Amino acid sequence: MVKPCKRHGGRNNIDNKNNIHFTCTTSLTDAFFLKKVQVKLGSKTFVVDSDKLHIRERQIYIIKGEGMLRIDSDHLYSTHIRGDIHVNIRL
């Protein structure tokens, strides 16, 4: 069983490179007892393994290449390059 991370704040931020910045909160015991942190962003769900987290109050975990499409000025309709998702995790 994986308990979802509680969303913190009202909205997601998107930077100039189409990276999504998302903040969520989970308890230290949930993160390490269940061995995973579940991050739900829209209709997608991402799972962060607890062994990749540090024991500190705030940290950023980056999910590479799973975010919004990036603009490719050479190929306007390209769907190959995606931004990253920066998950600000609070324990």
Side-chain angles (χ1 to χ4, degrees), residues 27-43:
S27 73
L28 184 64
T29 52
D30 285 345
F32 290 96
F33 178 71
L34 299 173
K35 306 277 190 220
K36 296 181 185 299
V37 174
Q38 185 181 48
V39 178
K40 188 164 175 74
L41 186 58
S43 62

Side-chain angles (χ1 to χ4, degrees), residues 18-82:
N18 277 7
N19 294 319
I20 300 170
H21 296 263
F22 177 81
T23 302
C24 68
T25 304
T26 190
S27 73
L28 184 64
T29 52
D30 285 345
F32 290 96
F33 178 71
L34 299 173
K35 306 277 190 220
K36 296 181 185 299
V37 174
Q38 185 181 48
V39 178
K40 188 164 175 74
L41 186 58
S43 62
K44 284 192 164 189
T45 301
F46 303 96
V47 177
V48 178
D49 292 325
S50 295
D51 61 348
K52 295 183 180 180
L53 298 177
H54 302 281
I55 300 176
R56 60 176 92 150
E57 185 179 353
R58 295 177 186 213
Q59 56 195 296
I60 298 174
Y61 182 81
I62 300 173
I63 302 169
K64 297 279 190 183
E66 294 288 331
M68 296 174 54
L69 290 174
R70 284 198 176 160
I71 298 171
D72 185 351
S73 58
D74 294 331
H75 303 284
L76 191 58
Y77 298 106
S78 174
T79 60
H80 298 289
I81 304 171
R82 290 197 166 267

Side-chain angles (χ1 to χ4, degrees), residues 5-8 22-26 37 39 87-90:
C5 193
K6 292 181 184 175
R7 185 176 174 154
H8 184 78
F22 177 81
T23 302
C24 68
T25 304
T26 190
V37 174
V39 178
V87 183
N88 300 300
I89 299 176
R90 294 181 181 183

